[in-house]
Amino acid sequence: MRLDCPSPPPYIGRFAPSPTGPLHLGSLYTALASYLDARSRNGWWLLRIDDLDTPRNMPGATERILDCLAAFGLHWDGEADLQSRHGQQYQQAIADLQRRDLLYPCSCSRSLLAEAGPIYPGYCRSQAYRNDQPAALRVKASPGEVEFIDGLQGIIRESIADQHGDFIVLRKDSIVAYQLAVAVDDYRQGITHVVRGSDLLDSTPKQIYLQQLLGYPTPEYLHLPIIVDRNGQKLSKQTRAEAVTATSANQTLFMLLSLLGQNPPPTLKRAEIPTILDWAVARWSPERLRGIRSISIDTPPSNQT
Ligand SMILES: [Zn+2]
């Protein structure tokens, strides 16, 4: 990428949506929080498109995401960064781990994995690999704990071996797995602060584990409560949360600021977008979200405007 700046600022944040569909209210909420956190600390806010999972990508989604963020006044620094352009860096990281005997191929079938449960019991760790079958690559989980202090969720301490097991870094279909891609991306982009939904809290120890194995620094993390619908389901593409539209963008921003615990004054509801964002940057404090994992929204996003 890079911004023509001789020395990067002490804060570099990012928003990293997958182009599997347009932004919905839940993803815009995360975008807004990470934007406000970066801007309130005079940091950069980078946009990364997590487009490695090619079978799930939706044609045109990247353009729609970019247009949507721009319509809401969430302007990012530099060019949007596409994961798919960095294949070589992921391969280098995998080769590095492989050279140090930290990975092994796993050719277990889907049914065998389903039987084994959520934590892979390491069947292929000791077996000689049969190279006539397609295989994923797993990283060996070493004993010991990964610990970090989340900006909102407090101390998180997990055993990779006991709570996650040997997890996949390269999928059977040769697609770089999410955890490895994110660890490499955050490093190559110099990310210092990650603001994202608490649904990803389970991924963070794995990403930190990979950072440690690869010798990368660990950014600071802040996991926001996720927005759930009246049934307690996370707003997501899977629950068919509707795409946000730029119609009444100021009212949508106002509602998102309320959900983020910022208590915007009613007069701000009809203000122009830059005015709303300036107000929010100047007063940003996620403190009221401390320790909260989910926030309920009573009406579907389409009725919010
Ligand atoms: Zn296996």
Side-chain angles (χ1 to χ4, degrees):
M1 28 184 292
R2 211 40 172 260
L3 305 163
D4 278 335
C5 183
S7 59
Y11 185 116
I12 303 178
R14 48 54 161 206
F15 175 56
S18 321
T20 52
L23 293 182
H24 54 80
L25 199 68
S27 39
L28 188 64
Y29 157 92
T30 307
L32 176 62
S34 67
Y35 172 90
L36 295 176
D37 206 57
R39 293 297 184 235
S40 67
R41 294 160 79 169
N42 296 314
W44 283 348
W45 188 61
L46 308 184
L47 176 63
R48 183 168 83 221
I49 302 293
D50 281 7
D51 62 347
L52 283 187
D53 196 352
T54 44
R56 294 181 62 229
N57 290 348
M58 180 195 272
T62 297
E63 292 71 22
R64 286 187 70 180
I65 290 170
L66 267 56
D67 289 348
C68 181
L69 290 172
F72 279 85
L74 304 176
H75 301 291
W76 56 92
D77 293 300
E79 298 282 309
D81 179 90
L82 269 63
Q83 279 187 322
S84 52
R85 293 191 187 146
H86 303 282
Q88 213 184 342
Q89 275 146 300
Y90 308 124
Q91 294 308 330
Q92 276 168 3
I94 288 170
D96 179 17
L97 296 172
Q98 228 160 2
R99 208 168 27 241
R100 290 151 59 206
D101 196 28
L102 293 166
L103 306 183
Y104 63 89
C106 166
S107 51
C108 290
S109 65
R110 207 171 275 199
S111 57
L112 184 61
L113 293 174
E115 226 170 274
I119 298 168
Y120 180 68
Y123 296 138
C124 296
R125 225 201 227 232
S126 51
Q127 275 171 7
Y129 167 57
R130 289 185 48 192
N131 62 6
D132 57 336
Q133 287 173 357
L137 284 177
R138 289 184 185 271
V139 62
K140 295 175 182 173
S142 57
E145 287 179 324
V146 164
E147 183 184 294
F148 69 101
I149 301 173
D150 185 81
L152 286 177
Q153 309 298 338
I155 294 186
I156 310 279
R157 193 181 291 121
E158 285 183 11
S159 156
I160 298 296
D162 298 341
Q163 290 168 270
H164 300 279
D166 299 340
F167 60 92
I168 290 177
V169 294
L170 186 71
R171 296 174 7 183
K172 239 182 216 183
D173 56 8
S174 300
I175 290 177
V176 175
Y178 173 75
Q179 312 297 357
L180 183 96
V182 172
V184 171
D185 291 331
D186 286 341
Y187 173 67
R188 66 178 176 76
Q189 292 191 294
I191 301 300
T192 61
H193 292 74
V194 174
V195 175
R196 59 186 179 189
S198 63
D199 52 324
L200 287 167
L201 206 47
D202 189 55
S203 289
T204 309
K206 289 182 264 197
Q207 291 168 15
I208 293 177
Y209 181 65
L210 290 173
Q211 290 159 8
Q212 291 173 347
L213 292 180
L214 291 162
Y216 301 160
T218 292
E220 286 185 39
Y221 290 95
L222 191 147
H223 287 84
L224 303 160
I226 52 164
I227 306 183
V228 296
D229 63 18
R230 68 186 73 165
N231 303 316
Q233 292 264 61
K234 183 201 167 204
L235 296 187
S236 69
K237 286 154 200 154
Q238 287 73 33
T239 57
R240 303 208 191 110
E242 290 179 46
V244 277
T245 62
T247 320
S248 316
N250 51 352
Q251 290 178 44
T252 303
L253 275 181
F254 182 90
M255 180 200 45
L256 290 172
L257 289 173
S258 305
L259 284 171
L260 286 166
Q262 303 304 295
N263 290 346
T267 49
L268 212 58
K269 208 170 196 165
R270 312 237 163 250
E272 298 291 320
I273 287 172
T275 309
I276 299 176
L277 290 176
D278 285 349
W279 178 91
V281 167
R283 287 168 186 77
W284 170 246
S285 164
E287 273 307 303
R288 281 186 215 97
L289 305 174
R290 185 166 292 282
I292 303 174
R293 294 280 174 100
S294 65
I295 285 180
S296 173
I297 187 165
D298 286 322
T299 45
S302 56
N303 294 349
Q304 290 288 344
T305 51

